[in-house]
Structure formats: structure tokens, C-alpha cells
Amino acid sequence: MTGVESTTPRVLAVLAFAMERLVARNEGLVGESIGLMGKSLNVFHGVRAPSISIPKYLERIYKYTNCSPSCFVVGYVYIDRLVHKHPDSLVISLNVHRLLVTSVMVASKMLDDVHYNNAFYARVGGVSNAELNRLELELLFMLDFGVVVSSRVFESYCLYLEKEMLWNGAGQRMERAMVPNSVDEVTEISVDDTQTSSSPPQMVD
């Protein structure tokens, strides 16, 4: 299950699988010029790829923010819309973590009656509050504030993600229902400093 524990919603494993494949495919295309690609997504770039894996990062977001599993599908919809609106951009290891935490946070604001604020998501995601505020605005403007996802579109993306795993011999059916989760004390992590950040959060393994 690509590193995601069985106690977490299957959507995390499905999304992690899709994002890891996307990153691997994009980085295979650009090769050594990876840092020069995805110019429209430069604001989401870190200096280096974070040490935390995509599955563990998604698991962390789910564990601490208590967002509904549907937020991860809608977050994926936002990322997919982003790369289609800006075809010069590529989701790679330098930007995938920031894209995920930003898109899931925005999705939570759209879907969940109760959600944590940006400061809490920043702490969970390993970025500063100021940076996440900036990333949220960047995402919204790049999407032209197109953040509404119909039930038909949502279901179509669920089916697509499930087929993506099925085609690769790891078929899983995702939960459609909202699944609550308890919130524990958040430990500090960092997704590494960006090129413009002077004081990144402390990294705790």
C-alpha cells in the first residue's frame, strides 16, 4: 500500500500511488534539468526534495487535521486542473508536498463544516504560516478560483484513481464516505526551506 498504514483510509494509498507515478514520470522526462522545469509552479518549489515520503506526508495530514477523506480526492482535482491550465508546469519532487498540503487545505475549507486554520495546516505541513498563506493565494489565482467540484466530477476522479491502481496490479476501492479521526498533538516537521525562506521550521525526524 505504498507505505500507508491499513488503519488509514484507502484513498491515501491510492492518491500516494498516483502522485508518486506522476512525479516519477515527470522527473524521467526532464532528467538533469529538473530544477528548470515547472516554471509556473516555482512558488511551490523547495531548494531540495523533502525527506518525508508522499505516503507518509498524506498520512500525516490526515492524522492531524481531521479532514474528511474526500478532501484528498478534491485536492487531487485541484492539482490536475492546475497542470492542465498551466501545461508548462510539472509536478516534481521539489513541489509535490507543498502542492498537496495547499490543495487539501483548500478542499477542506470547501467540504468540511469544521476545519483547522492555515496556521495549523502550516505546522502539520512543515512550512511557515506566511508561506502557506502565500501558496494558498497562488493556488487560487492559478485556478482562477475554480474550486467547486461537482459530485459527478468527484466520482469520475475516484474511478480514475481506482483504475490507475487496478491497471498496475494494486486494485483498491476508495471510501466515498466522510471518516472522522482523532487529533493528536502535532510534532514539528519541515518540508525544507524554500529559496525565499530565511528561517524554516525545525525538522524533527
Side-chain angles (χ1 to χ4, degrees):
M1 294 180 60
T2 58
V4 178
E5 297 178 4
S6 59
T7 55
T8 58
R10 289 185 296 276
V11 63
L12 300 189
V14 177
L15 179 56
F17 180 86
M19 296 306 296
E20 286 180 325
R21 276 177 52 84
L22 176 63
V23 168
R25 182 168 65 246
N26 288 342
E27 293 187 347
L29 290 174
V30 302
E32 294 182 359
S33 60
I34 182 174
L36 302 177
M37 301 303 294
K39 293 181 179 180
S40 294
L41 298 179
N42 274 352
V43 69
F44 292 93
H45 279 202
V47 174
R48 65 190 69 85
S51 58
I52 186 171
S53 68
I54 293 173
K56 288 297 183 184
Y57 194 64
L58 291 173
E59 183 181 277
R60 177 180 171 86
I61 293 172
Y62 174 75
K63 177 181 178 181
Y64 290 116
T65 66
N66 201 33
C67 66
S68 60
S70 301
C71 295
F72 293 91
V73 177
V74 173
Y76 179 78
V77 174
Y78 295 161
I79 293 173
D80 193 52
R81 287 177 177 176
L82 200 65
V83 297
H84 280 88
K85 279 181 171 288
H86 305 275
D88 62 321
S89 299
L90 292 177
V91 177
I92 55 178
S93 58
L94 296 178
N95 59 33
V96 63
H97 292 75
R98 286 174 172 83
L99 283 167
L100 283 169
V101 71
T102 307
S103 62
V104 171
M105 181 185 72
V106 172
S108 178
K109 292 180 179 182
M110 295 297 296
L111 297 178
D112 295 340
D113 293 333
V114 178
H115 56 78
Y116 283 99
N117 60 22
N118 288 26
F120 190 85
Y121 268 90
R123 188 179 176 195
V124 171
V127 297
S128 70
N129 189 20
E131 182 182 4
L132 189 57
N133 289 343
R134 184 170 69 252
L135 295 179
E136 180 184 26
L137 283 175
E138 187 73 19
L139 179 71
L140 291 172
F141 276 104
M142 290 182 74
L143 290 173
D144 295 325
F145 290 83
V147 292
V148 175
V149 175
S150 68
S151 57
R152 179 184 59 81
V153 169
F154 175 82
E155 180 64 21
S156 69
Y157 272 85
C158 286
L159 292 172
Y160 169 78
L161 288 168
E162 290 167 351
K163 287 178 181 177
E164 180 86 353
M165 291 202 71
L166 185 62
W167 289 334
N168 289 276
Q172 290 201 42
R173 181 168 175 78
M174 299 188 303
E175 305 87 349
R176 274 23 177 214
M178 306 292 184
V179 180
N181 189 26
S182 59
V183 179
D184 301 322
E185 183 179 356
V186 179
T187 54
E188 298 290 347
I189 68 163
S190 171
V191 290
D192 298 324
D193 52 314
T194 61
Q195 296 160 352
T196 58
S197 175
S198 58
S199 55
Q202 180 182 3
M203 168 70 82
V204 175
D205 293 329

